[in-house]
Coordinates of all heavy atoms in Angstrom, one line a residue:
M1 N 22.6 -1.1 88.2 CA 23.6 -1.5 89.1 C 24.9 -1.9 88.4 O 26.0 -1.7 88.9 CB 23.1 -2.6 90.0 CG 24.0 -2.9 91.1 SD 24.0 -1.6 92.3 CE 25.0 -2.3 93.5
K2 N 24.7 -2.5 87.3 CA 25.9 -3.0 86.5 C 26.7 -1.8 86.0 O 27.9 -1.8 86.0 CB 25.4 -3.8 85.3 CG 26.2 -5.0 85.2 CD 25.6 -5.8 84.0 CE 26.2 -7.2 84.1 NZ 25.8 -8.1 83.1
N3 N 26.0 -0.7 85.7 CA 26.7 0.5 85.2 C 27.6 1.1 86.3 O 28.6 1.6 86.1 CB 25.7 1.5 84.6 CG 25.2 1.1 83.3 OD1 25.8 0.3 82.6 ND2 24.0 1.6 82.9
Y4 N 27.0 1.1 87.5 CA 27.8 1.7 88.6 C 29.1 0.9 88.9 O 30.1 1.5 89.2 CB 26.9 1.7 89.9 CG 25.8 2.7 89.8 CD1 24.5 2.4 89.9 CD2 26.1 4.1 89.7 CE1 23.5 3.3 89.8 CE2 25.1 5.0 89.6 CZ 23.8 4.6 89.7 OH 22.8 5.6 89.6
K5 N 29.0 -0.4 88.8 CA 30.2 -1.2 89.0 C 31.2 -0.9 88.0 O 32.4 -0.8 88.2 CB 29.9 -2.7 89.0 CG 29.1 -3.2 90.2 CD 29.0 -4.7 90.1 CE 28.2 -5.2 91.2 NZ 27.9 -6.7 91.2
Y6 N 30.8 -0.7 86.7 CA 31.7 -0.3 85.7 C 32.3 1.0 85.9 O 33.5 1.2 85.8 CB 31.0 -0.4 84.3 CG 31.8 0.1 83.2 CD1 32.8 -0.7 82.7 CD2 31.6 1.3 82.6 CE1 33.6 -0.3 81.6 CE2 32.4 1.8 81.5 CZ 33.4 1.0 81.1 OH 34.1 1.4 80.0
Y7 N 31.5 2.0 86.3 CA 32.0 3.4 86.6 C 33.0 3.4 87.8 O 34.0 4.1 87.7 CB 30.9 4.3 86.9 CG 30.0 4.6 85.7 CD1 28.6 4.6 85.7 CD2 30.6 5.0 84.5 CE1 27.9 4.9 84.6 CE2 29.8 5.3 83.3 CZ 28.5 5.2 83.4 OH 27.7 5.5 82.4
F8 N 32.7 2.6 88.8 CA 33.6 2.6 90.0 C 34.9 1.9 89.6 O 36.0 2.3 90.0 CB 33.0 1.8 91.1 CG 32.0 2.6 91.9 CD1 30.7 2.2 92.1 CD2 32.3 3.9 92.5 CE1 29.8 2.9 92.8 CE2 31.4 4.6 93.2 CZ 30.1 4.2 93.3
T9 N 34.9 0.9 88.8 CA 36.1 0.2 88.3 C 37.0 1.2 87.5 O 38.2 1.2 87.7 CB 35.7 -1.0 87.5 OG1 34.9 -1.9 88.3 CG2 37.0 -1.8 87.1
V10 N 36.4 1.9 86.6 CA 37.1 2.8 85.8 C 37.7 4.0 86.6 O 38.8 4.4 86.5 CB 36.2 3.3 84.6 CG1 36.9 4.5 83.9 CG2 35.9 2.2 83.7
L11 N 36.8 4.4 87.5 CA 37.3 5.6 88.4 C 38.5 5.2 89.3 O 39.4 5.9 89.3 CB 36.1 6.0 89.3 CG 36.4 7.2 90.2 CD1 36.7 8.4 89.5 CD2 35.2 7.3 91.2
F12 N 38.4 4.0 89.9 CA 39.5 3.6 90.8 C 40.7 3.2 90.0 O 41.9 3.4 90.5 CB 39.0 2.5 91.7 CG 38.1 2.9 92.8 CD1 36.9 2.4 93.0 CD2 38.5 3.9 93.7 CE1 36.0 2.8 94.0 CE2 37.7 4.4 94.7 CZ 36.4 3.8 94.8
S13 N 40.6 2.7 88.9 CA 41.8 2.3 88.1 C 42.5 3.6 87.5 O 43.7 3.6 87.4 CB 41.4 1.4 86.9 OG 40.5 2.0 86.1
C14 N 41.7 4.6 87.2 CA 42.3 5.9 86.8 C 42.9 6.7 87.9 O 43.7 7.5 87.7 CB 41.3 6.7 86.0 SG 40.8 5.9 84.4
A15 N 42.4 6.5 89.1 CA 42.8 7.3 90.3 C 44.3 7.0 90.6 O 45.0 7.9 91.0 CB 42.0 7.0 91.5
G16 N 44.7 5.8 90.3 CA 46.1 5.4 90.5 C 47.1 6.2 89.6 O 48.3 6.4 89.9
L17 N 46.6 6.7 88.5 CA 47.5 7.4 87.6 C 47.7 8.9 88.1 O 48.8 9.4 87.8 CB 46.8 7.5 86.2 CG 46.6 6.2 85.5 CD1 45.8 6.4 84.2 CD2 47.9 5.5 85.2
W18 N 46.8 9.4 88.8 CA 46.9 10.8 89.3 C 47.6 10.9 90.7 O 48.2 11.8 91.0 CB 45.6 11.5 89.4 CG 44.9 11.7 88.1 CD1 45.4 12.3 87.0 CD2 43.7 11.2 87.6 NE1 44.6 12.3 86.0 CE2 43.5 11.6 86.3 CE3 42.7 10.4 88.2 CZ2 42.3 11.3 85.6 CZ3 41.6 10.1 87.5 CH2 41.4 10.5 86.2
I19 N 47.4 9.8 91.5 CA 47.9 9.8 92.8 C 49.2 9.0 92.8 O 49.3 7.9 92.4 CB 46.9 9.2 93.8 CG1 45.6 10.0 93.8 CG2 47.5 9.1 95.2 CD1 44.5 9.3 94.6
S20 N 50.2 9.7 93.4 CA 51.5 8.9 93.6 C 51.9 9.0 95.0 O 51.9 10.1 95.6 CB 52.6 9.5 92.6 OG 52.9 10.8 92.9
A21 N 52.4 7.9 95.6 CA 52.8 7.9 97.0 C 54.2 8.4 97.2 O 54.6 8.8 98.2 CB 52.6 6.5 97.5
Q22 N 55.0 8.3 96.1 CA 56.4 8.7 96.3 C 56.8 9.5 95.1 O 56.2 9.5 94.0 CB 57.3 7.4 96.3 CG 57.0 6.5 97.4 CD 57.8 5.2 97.3 OE1 58.4 5.0 96.3 NE2 57.7 4.4 98.3
E23 N 57.9 10.2 95.3 CA 58.5 11.0 94.2 C 59.4 10.0 93.3 O 59.9 9.1 93.9 CB 59.4 12.1 94.7 CG 58.6 13.1 95.5 CD 59.5 14.2 96.0 OE1 60.7 14.3 95.6 OE2 59.1 15.0 96.8
K24 N 59.5 10.3 92.1 CA 60.3 9.5 91.2 C 61.8 9.8 91.5 O 62.2 11.0 91.7 CB 60.0 9.7 89.8 CG 58.6 9.2 89.4 CD 58.4 9.3 87.9 CE 57.0 8.8 87.6 NZ 56.7 8.9 86.2
L25 N 62.6 8.8 91.6 CA 64.0 8.9 91.9 C 64.8 8.7 90.6 O 64.7 7.6 90.0 CB 64.4 7.9 93.0 CG 65.8 8.0 93.5 CD1 66.0 9.3 94.2 CD2 66.1 6.8 94.4
L26 N 65.6 9.7 90.2 CA 66.4 9.6 89.0 C 67.6 8.8 89.3 O 68.1 8.6 90.5 CB 66.7 11.0 88.5 CG 65.5 11.9 88.1 CD1 66.0 13.2 87.7 CD2 64.8 11.2 87.0
K27 N 68.3 8.3 88.3 CA 69.5 7.5 88.5 C 70.6 8.3 89.1 O 71.3 7.8 90.0 CB 70.0 6.9 87.2 CG 69.1 5.9 86.6 CD 69.7 5.4 85.3 CE 68.8 4.4 84.6 NZ 69.3 4.0 83.3
D28 N 70.8 9.5 88.7 CA 71.8 10.4 89.3 C 71.6 10.6 90.8 O 72.5 10.6 91.6 CB 71.9 11.7 88.5 CG 72.3 11.6 87.1 OD1 73.0 10.6 86.8 OD2 72.0 12.5 86.3
E29 N 70.3 10.9 91.2 CA 70.0 11.1 92.6 C 70.3 9.8 93.4 O 70.8 9.8 94.5 CB 68.6 11.5 92.7 CG 68.3 12.9 92.1 CD 66.8 13.2 92.1 OE1 66.0 12.3 92.4 OE2 66.5 14.4 91.8
A30 N 69.9 8.7 92.8 CA 70.1 7.4 93.5 C 71.6 7.1 93.7 O 72.1 6.7 94.8 CB 69.5 6.2 92.7
V31 N 72.4 7.4 92.7 CA 73.9 7.2 92.8 C 74.5 8.2 93.8 O 75.3 7.8 94.7 CB 74.6 7.4 91.4 CG1 76.1 7.4 91.6 CG2 74.2 6.2 90.5
E32 N 74.0 9.4 93.8 CA 74.5 10.4 94.8 C 74.1 10.0 96.2 O 75.0 10.1 97.1 CB 73.9 11.7 94.5 CG 74.3 12.9 95.4 CD 73.6 14.2 95.1 OE1 73.0 14.3 94.0 OE2 73.7 15.1 95.9
I33 N 72.9 9.5 96.5 CA 72.5 9.1 97.8 C 73.3 7.8 98.2 O 73.8 7.7 99.4 CB 71.0 8.8 97.8 CG1 70.2 10.1 97.7 CG2 70.6 8.1 99.1 CD1 68.8 9.9 97.5
A34 N 73.6 6.9 97.3 CA 74.3 5.7 97.6 C 75.8 6.0 98.0 O 76.3 5.5 98.9 CB 74.3 4.7 96.5
L35 N 76.4 6.9 97.2 CA 77.8 7.3 97.5 C 77.9 8.1 98.8 O 78.9 8.0 99.5 CB 78.3 8.1 96.4 CG 78.5 7.3 95.0 CD1 79.0 8.3 94.0 CD2 79.5 6.2 95.2
K36 N 76.9 8.9 99.1 CA 76.9 9.7 100.3 C 76.8 8.8 101.6 O 77.4 9.1 102.6 CB 75.7 10.7 100.2 CG 75.6 11.6 101.4 CD 74.5 12.6 101.2 CE 74.1 13.3 102.5 NZ 72.9 14.1 102.4
N37 N 76.0 7.8 101.5 CA 75.7 6.9 102.6 C 76.6 5.7 102.7 O 76.4 4.8 103.6 CB 74.2 6.5 102.7 CG 73.3 7.7 102.9 OD1 73.7 8.7 103.5 ND2 72.2 7.7 102.3
N38 N 77.5 5.5 101.8 CA 78.3 4.3 101.7 C 79.4 4.4 102.8 O 80.2 5.3 102.9 CB 79.0 4.2 100.4 CG 79.6 2.8 100.2 OD1 79.9 2.1 101.1 ND2 79.9 2.5 98.9
Y39 N 79.4 3.4 103.7 CA 80.4 3.4 104.8 C 81.8 3.3 104.4 O 82.7 4.0 105.0 CB 80.0 2.3 105.8 CG 80.9 2.2 107.0 CD1 80.7 3.2 108.0 CD2 81.8 1.2 107.2 CE1 81.5 3.1 109.1 CE2 82.6 1.2 108.3 CZ 82.5 2.1 109.3 OH 83.2 2.1 110.4
D40 N 82.1 2.5 103.4 CA 83.5 2.3 102.9 C 84.0 3.6 102.4 O 85.2 4.0 102.6 CB 83.6 1.2 101.9 CG 83.3 -0.1 102.5 OD1 83.6 -0.3 103.7 OD2 82.8 -1.0 101.7
I41 N 83.2 4.4 101.7 CA 83.7 5.7 101.1 C 83.9 6.7 102.2 O 84.9 7.4 102.2 CB 82.6 6.2 100.1 CG1 82.6 5.2 98.9 CG2 83.0 7.6 99.7 CD1 81.6 5.6 97.8
Q42 N 83.1 6.7 103.2 CA 83.3 7.6 104.4 C 84.6 7.2 105.1 O 85.3 8.1 105.5 CB 82.1 7.5 105.3 CG 80.8 8.1 104.8 CD 79.6 7.9 105.7 OE1 79.8 7.2 106.8 NE2 78.5 8.4 105.4
V43 N 84.9 5.9 105.3 CA 86.1 5.5 106.0 C 87.3 5.9 105.1 O 88.3 6.5 105.7 CB 86.1 4.0 106.2 CG1 87.4 3.5 106.7 CG2 85.0 3.7 107.3
S44 N 87.2 5.7 103.8 CA 88.4 6.1 103.0 C 88.6 7.6 103.0 O 89.8 8.0 103.0 CB 88.2 5.5 101.6 OG 87.1 6.1 101.0
S45 N 87.6 8.4 102.9 CA 87.8 9.8 103.0 C 88.3 10.3 104.3 O 89.1 11.2 104.4 CB 86.5 10.5 102.6 OG 85.5 10.3 103.6
N46 N 87.9 9.6 105.4 CA 88.5 10.0 106.7 C 90.0 9.6 106.7 O 90.8 10.3 107.3 CB 87.7 9.3 107.8 CG 86.4 9.9 108.1 OD1 86.2 11.0 107.7 ND2 85.5 9.2 108.7
N47 N 90.3 8.4 106.1 CA 91.7 8.0 106.1 C 92.5 9.0 105.3 O 93.7 9.3 105.6 CB 91.8 6.6 105.5 CG 91.4 5.6 106.5 OD1 91.4 5.8 107.7 ND2 91.1 4.4 106.0
M48 N 92.0 9.6 104.2 CA 92.7 10.6 103.4 C 92.9 11.8 104.2 O 94.0 12.4 104.2 CB 91.9 10.9 102.1 CG 92.0 9.8 101.1 SD 91.1 10.2 99.6 CE 91.9 11.7 99.1
K49 N 91.9 12.2 105.0 CA 92.1 13.4 105.9 C 93.2 13.2 106.9 O 94.0 14.1 107.2 CB 90.8 13.8 106.6 CG 89.7 14.3 105.6 CD 88.4 14.6 106.4 CE 87.3 15.0 105.4 NZ 86.1 15.2 106.1
I50 N 93.2 12.0 107.5 CA 94.3 11.6 108.5 C 95.6 11.7 107.8 O 96.6 12.2 108.4 CB 93.9 10.3 109.1 CG1 92.7 10.4 110.0 CG2 95.1 9.8 109.9 CD1 92.2 9.0 110.5
A51 N 95.7 11.1 106.6 CA 97.0 11.1 105.9 C 97.5 12.5 105.6 O 98.7 12.8 105.7 CB 96.9 10.3 104.6
E52 N 96.6 13.4 105.2 CA 96.9 14.8 104.9 C 97.4 15.5 106.2 O 98.4 16.3 106.2 CB 95.7 15.5 104.4 CG 95.4 15.1 102.9 CD 94.1 15.8 102.5 OE1 93.4 16.5 103.2 OE2 93.7 15.5 101.3
N53 N 96.8 15.2 107.3 CA 97.2 15.8 108.6 C 98.6 15.3 109.0 O 99.4 16.0 109.6 CB 96.2 15.5 109.7 CG 95.0 16.4 109.5 OD1 95.0 17.4 108.9 ND2 93.9 15.9 110.1
N54 N 98.9 14.0 108.7 CA 100.1 13.4 109.1 C 101.3 13.7 108.2 O 102.4 13.3 108.5 CB 100.0 11.9 109.3 CG 99.1 11.5 110.5 OD1 99.0 12.3 111.4 ND2 98.6 10.4 110.5
A55 N 101.0 14.2 107.0 CA 102.1 14.5 106.0 C 102.7 15.8 106.3 O 102.6 16.8 105.6 CB 101.5 14.5 104.7
S56 N 103.5 15.9 107.4 CA 104.2 17.1 107.7 C 105.6 16.7 108.2 O 105.9 15.5 108.4 CB 103.5 17.9 108.8 OG 103.6 17.2 110.0
I57 N 106.5 17.6 108.3 CA 107.9 17.3 108.7 C 107.9 16.8 110.2 O 108.8 16.1 110.6 CB 108.8 18.5 108.5 CG1 110.2 18.1 108.6 CG2 108.5 19.6 109.5 CD1 111.2 19.2 108.1
Y58 N 106.9 17.2 110.9 CA 106.9 16.8 112.4 C 106.6 15.3 112.5 O 107.1 14.7 113.5 CB 105.9 17.6 113.1 CG 106.1 19.1 113.1 CD1 105.3 19.9 112.4 CD2 107.3 19.6 113.6 CE1 105.5 21.3 112.3 CE2 107.5 21.0 113.6 CZ 106.6 21.8 112.9 OH 106.9 23.1 112.8
N59 N 105.9 14.7 111.6 CA 105.5 13.3 111.7 C 106.4 12.4 110.8 O 106.1 11.2 110.7 CB 104.1 13.1 111.4 CG 103.2 13.7 112.4 OD1 103.5 13.8 113.5 ND2 102.0 14.2 112.0
S60 N 107.4 12.9 110.2 CA 108.1 12.1 109.2 C 109.5 11.6 109.7 O 110.2 11.1 108.9 CB 108.3 13.0 107.9 OG 109.1 14.1 108.2
N61 N 109.8 11.9 110.9 CA 111.1 11.4 111.5 C 112.3 12.1 110.9 O 113.4 11.5 110.9 CB 111.2 9.9 111.5 CG 110.2 9.3 112.4 OD1 109.8 9.8 113.4 ND2 109.8 8.1 112.1
Y62 N 112.2 13.2 110.3 CA 113.3 13.9 109.7 C 114.0 14.9 110.8 O 115.1 15.3 110.6 CB 112.9 14.8 108.5 CG 112.7 13.9 107.3 CD1 111.5 14.1 106.6 CD2 113.6 13.0 106.8 CE1 111.2 13.3 105.5 CE2 113.4 12.3 105.7 CZ 112.2 12.4 105.0 OH 112.0 11.7 103.9
L63 N 113.3 15.2 111.8 CA 113.8 16.1 112.8 C 114.7 15.3 113.8 O 114.4 14.1 114.0 CB 112.7 16.8 113.5 CG 111.8 17.7 112.7 CD1 110.7 18.3 113.5 CD2 112.7 18.8 112.1
P64 N 115.7 16.0 114.3 CA 116.6 15.2 115.3 C 115.8 14.9 116.6 O 114.9 15.6 117.0 CB 117.7 16.2 115.6 CG 117.2 17.5 115.2 CD 116.2 17.3 114.1
T65 N 116.3 13.9 117.3 CA 115.7 13.5 118.5 C 116.7 13.7 119.6 O 117.9 13.6 119.4 CB 115.1 12.1 118.5 OG1 116.2 11.2 118.2 CG2 114.0 12.0 117.5
L66 N 116.3 13.8 120.8 CA 117.1 14.0 122.0 C 116.7 12.9 123.0 O 115.6 12.8 123.3 CB 117.0 15.3 122.6 CG 117.8 15.6 123.9 CD1 119.3 15.6 123.6 CD2 117.4 17.0 124.4
G67 N 117.7 12.1 123.4 CA 117.5 11.1 124.4 C 118.3 11.3 125.6 O 119.4 11.6 125.6
V68 N 117.7 11.1 126.8 CA 118.4 11.3 128.0 C 118.2 10.1 128.9 O 117.1 9.6 129.1 CB 117.8 12.6 128.8 CG1 118.4 12.7 130.1 CG2 117.9 13.8 127.9
N69 N 119.3 9.6 129.3 CA 119.3 8.4 130.2 C 120.0 8.8 131.5 O 121.0 9.5 131.5 CB 120.0 7.2 129.6 CG 119.2 6.7 128.4 OD1 118.0 6.7 128.4 ND2 119.9 6.1 127.4
A70 N 119.5 8.3 132.6 CA 120.2 8.5 133.9 C 120.1 7.2 134.7 O 119.2 6.4 134.5 CB 119.5 9.6 134.6
G71 N 121.1 7.1 135.6 CA 121.1 5.9 136.4 C 121.9 6.1 137.7 O 122.8 7.0 137.7
A72 N 121.7 5.4 138.7 CA 122.4 5.5 139.9 C 122.5 4.2 140.6 O 121.5 3.4 140.5 CB 121.8 6.6 140.8
N73 N 123.6 3.9 141.3 CA 123.7 2.7 142.1 C 124.1 3.2 143.5 O 125.0 4.0 143.7 CB 124.8 1.8 141.5 CG 124.4 1.2 140.3 OD1 123.2 0.9 140.1 ND2 125.4 0.9 139.4
Y74 N 123.5 2.6 144.5 CA 123.9 2.9 145.9 C 124.1 1.6 146.6 O 123.2 0.7 146.6 CB 122.7 3.7 146.5 CG 123.0 4.0 148.0 CD1 123.9 4.9 148.3 CD2 122.2 3.3 148.9 CE1 124.1 5.2 149.7 CE2 122.4 3.6 150.3 CZ 123.4 4.5 150.6 OH 123.6 4.8 152.0
N75 N 125.2 1.5 147.2 CA 125.5 0.3 148.0 C 125.9 0.7 149.5 O 126.7 1.6 149.7 CB 126.7 -0.5 147.5 CG 126.4 -1.1 146.1 OD1 125.3 -1.5 145.9 ND2 127.4 -1.1 145.2
D76 N 125.3 0.1 150.4 CA 125.5 0.4 151.8 C 126.3 -0.8 152.4 O 125.8 -1.8 152.9 CB 124.2 0.6 152.6 CG 124.4 1.0 154.0 OD1 125.6 1.4 154.3 OD2 123.4 1.0 154.8
N77 N 127.7 -0.7 152.2 CA 128.5 -1.8 152.7 C 129.2 -1.5 154.0 O 130.2 -2.0 154.3 CB 129.6 -2.1 151.6 CG 129.0 -2.6 150.4 OD1 128.0 -3.3 150.4 ND2 129.7 -2.4 149.2
N78 N 128.7 -0.6 154.8 CA 129.3 -0.2 156.1 C 128.7 -1.0 157.2 O 128.2 -0.5 158.2 CB 129.1 1.2 156.3 CG 130.0 1.8 157.4 OD1 130.9 1.1 157.9 ND2 129.7 3.0 157.7
N79 N 128.7 -2.3 157.1 CA 128.1 -3.2 158.1 C 129.2 -3.9 158.9 O 130.2 -4.3 158.3 CB 127.2 -4.3 157.4 CG 126.0 -3.7 156.8 OD1 125.5 -2.6 157.2 ND2 125.5 -4.4 155.8
K80 N 128.9 -4.0 160.1 CA 129.9 -4.8 161.0 C 129.2 -6.1 161.4 O 128.1 -6.1 161.8 CB 130.2 -3.9 162.2 CG 131.0 -2.7 161.9 CD 131.4 -2.0 163.2 CE 132.1 -0.7 162.8 NZ 132.6 0.0 164.0
T81 N 129.9 -7.1 161.2 CA 129.4 -8.4 161.5 C 130.2 -9.0 162.6 O 131.4 -9.0 162.6 CB 129.5 -9.3 160.2 OG1 129.0 -8.7 159.1 CG2 128.9 -10.7 160.5
A82 N 129.5 -9.5 163.6 CA 130.1 -10.2 164.7 C 129.8 -11.6 164.7 O 128.6 -12.0 164.5 CB 129.6 -9.5 166.0
F83 N 130.8 -12.4 164.9 CA 130.6 -13.9 164.9 C 130.7 -14.3 166.4 O 131.7 -14.0 167.1 CB 131.7 -14.6 164.1 CG 131.6 -14.3 162.6 CD1 132.4 -13.4 162.0 CD2 130.6 -14.9 161.8 CE1 132.3 -13.1 160.7 CE2 130.4 -14.6 160.5 CZ 131.3 -13.7 159.9
F84 N 129.8 -15.1 166.8 CA 129.9 -15.6 168.1 C 130.1 -17.1 168.1 O 129.5 -17.8 167.3 CB 128.5 -15.4 168.8 CG 128.2 -13.9 169.0 CD1 127.3 -13.2 168.2 CD2 128.8 -13.2 170.0 CE1 127.0 -11.9 168.4 CE2 128.6 -11.9 170.2 CZ 127.7 -11.2 169.4
Y85 N 131.1 -17.4 168.9 CA 131.5 -18.8 169.0 C 130.9 -19.3 170.3 O 131.2 -18.8 171.4 CB 133.0 -19.0 169.0 CG 133.4 -20.5 169.1 CD1 133.2 -21.3 168.1 CD2 133.9 -20.9 170.3 CE1 133.6 -22.7 168.2 CE2 134.3 -22.2 170.5 CZ 134.1 -23.1 169.4 OH 134.5 -24.4 169.6
S86 N 130.1 -20.3 170.2 CA 129.5 -20.9 171.4 C 130.0 -22.3 171.5 O 130.0 -23.1 170.6 CB 128.0 -20.8 171.4 OG 127.5 -21.7 170.4
A87 N 130.5 -22.6 172.7 CA 131.0 -23.9 172.9 C 129.8 -24.7 173.4 O 129.1 -24.3 174.3 CB 132.1 -23.9 174.0
G88 N 129.6 -25.8 172.7 CA 128.5 -26.6 173.1 C 128.9 -27.5 174.3 O 129.9 -27.4 174.8
P89 N 128.0 -28.3 174.7 CA 128.2 -29.2 175.8 C 129.4 -30.2 175.5 O 129.4 -30.7 174.4 CB 126.9 -29.9 176.0 CG 126.1 -29.6 174.8 CD 126.7 -28.5 174.1
G90 N 130.2 -30.4 176.4 CA 131.3 -31.3 176.2 C 132.5 -30.7 175.6 O 133.5 -31.3 175.4
K91 N 132.6 -29.4 175.4 CA 133.8 -28.8 174.8 C 134.4 -27.9 175.8 O 134.0 -27.2 176.6 CB 133.5 -28.1 173.6 CG 133.3 -29.0 172.4 CD 133.3 -28.3 171.2 CE 133.2 -29.2 170.0 NZ 133.2 -28.6 168.8

């Protein structure tokens, strides 16, 4: 029985060398994954795309602009006012 315990111990300790639960990750792959999933890098690359789209003559205020203003005033002063004088009691 003692020999069986020894054989099982050796067998299970060596089984860990052949079986691996995960693939090994190299440094280059880890850096690539980290840069790909980094939120700050994604935001800055989106900002660069926005800046490239906005870098045109249309968005740089070099083109002339046209402004139109209009206004109107209307007064209706054609009113007739009548004053009534009423004599109160005793007058």
